Amino acid sequence: LRLPVTQQNETRGKQRMEQCPIGILVTLYHLGEIDLGTHLIETPVGTVKTVLKDPNEVQIENVESYCLYRDVTVEVPSLGRVSGDVAWGGNWFFLAKDAPMELVPGNIEELTHAAWAVRKALTAAGITGEDGSEIDHIEFFQGSESDHIDSRNFVLCPGGAYDRSPCGTGTSAKLACLAEAGLLEPGRKWVQESIIGSSFKGSYEFADNGRIIPTITGEAYIYGDTELIVQPGDPFADGIG
């Protein structure tokens, strides 16, 4: 992907608004395709404004986010009654009030099974986002041992994979729920930690319609530069499927 080197670029693609734009901007800067400064990224849910603050740090102004339902309870086999909020942050999330176990890397497999069970239970109970949209992201939260961290999370994404980042859309949904509950005032920083210890800084301002406009800041680092070779006659040169 080659872009003109300007302070306002528009990257067109179909990536979710979370850690992806952070990695995209850091990579493009590494390749010499963009400068530090403001860039726009077009996503399936709207255009997001990003700021490449230095070679590794990116600030993202996400799409409008909001809490749709508070204190939703669902019966989950093997877990019992699970309560949480339903919110939009660029994806639909169920943000559980309590984690079923300690949020540490050693529990990732069990947390994945638990989160998947919650997702299936929401579907079975007919609990959805707006317009019947499936809630395809599940978040568990817990306190952190670090003084500078507000919350630690585990995020299950579609397909059963977990997010190694604190999840930009998930953090946006969390901010929306905190705002709805009156637990976080506009402009105040919220630091969200992932299951592996990485962190995003988040804050928000209110939009004119009462929803929030989240700002998420995170870092990415280059660890490799790969060259793909396409040889004549390769029947799978463009991939499989």
Side-chain angles (χ1 to χ4, degrees):
L1 178 64
R2 302 188 65 83
L3 299 176
V5 181
T6 64
Q7 287 303 101
Q8 287 278 351
N9 286 330
E10 186 172 359
T11 303
R12 299 182 182 272
K14 291 186 177 180
Q15 50 271 1
R16 292 178 300 159
M17 200 310 293
E18 37 190 77
Q19 75 270 33
C20 296
I22 297 175
I24 288 170
L25 264 65
V26 168
T27 300
L28 289 174
Y29 181 81
H30 171 74
L31 294 172
E33 302 291 348
I34 61 173
D35 287 334
L36 300 180
T38 301
H39 306 274
L40 303 180
I41 298 183
E42 187 178 275
T43 79
V45 294
T47 299
V48 296
K49 176 182 175 183
T50 67
V51 180
L52 183 60
K53 302 180 73 174
D54 65 36
N56 299 107
E57 186 177 45
V58 177
Q59 178 179 290
I60 302 169
E61 184 180 286
N62 194 14
V63 297
E64 289 184 0
S65 304
Y66 59 99
C67 180
L68 181 64
Y69 303 123
R70 291 181 59 191
D71 300 323
V72 173
T73 300
V74 63
E75 191 72 32
V76 182
S78 77
L79 294 179
R81 294 171 65 84
V82 177
S83 297
D85 300 331
V86 175
W88 170 259
N91 295 297
W92 281 109
F93 285 84
F94 180 81
L95 300 93
K97 300 292 185 185
D98 300 303
M101 62 197 71
E102 190 177 4
L103 302 186
V104 294
N107 288 338
I108 285 175
E109 184 174 353
E110 290 82 2
L111 287 165
T112 298
H113 290 316
W116 192 258
V118 172
R119 178 178 169 178
K120 289 175 64 178
L122 290 168
T123 300
I127 300 172
T128 69
E130 251 179 357
D131 300 324
S133 299
E134 183 180 12
I135 302 170
D136 56 5
H137 288 67
I138 308 297
E139 278 198 82
F140 295 134
F141 295 91
Q142 209 167 62
S144 172
E145 296 181 358
S146 301
D147 293 336
H148 67 286
I149 301 292
D150 292 292
S151 175
R152 185 177 179 88
N153 70 5
F154 172 85
V155 182
L156 183 73
C157 301
Y162 74 94
D163 199 332
R164 292 172 296 171
S165 84
C167 189
T169 50
T171 301
S172 297
K174 177 68 174 181
L175 294 174
C177 293
L178 290 169
E180 178 72 17
L183 298 176
L184 185 72
E185 60 269 23
R188 181 186 155 196
K189 185 188 300 179
W190 178 271
V191 182
Q192 187 65 57
E193 183 181 44
S194 75
I195 186 71
I196 65 169
S198 56
S199 64
F200 284 164
K201 299 171 187 173
S203 63
Y204 75 91
E205 298 294 339
F206 279 112
D208 293 339
N209 59 8
R211 297 180 179 182
I212 70 163
I213 301 173
T215 298
I216 308 296
T217 303
E219 298 177 340
Y221 296 86
I222 303 296
Y223 67 89
D225 192 347
T226 301
E227 180 182 4
L228 299 178
I229 299 174
V230 177
Q231 293 184 320
D234 183 355
F236 303 112
D238 296 324
I240 301 172

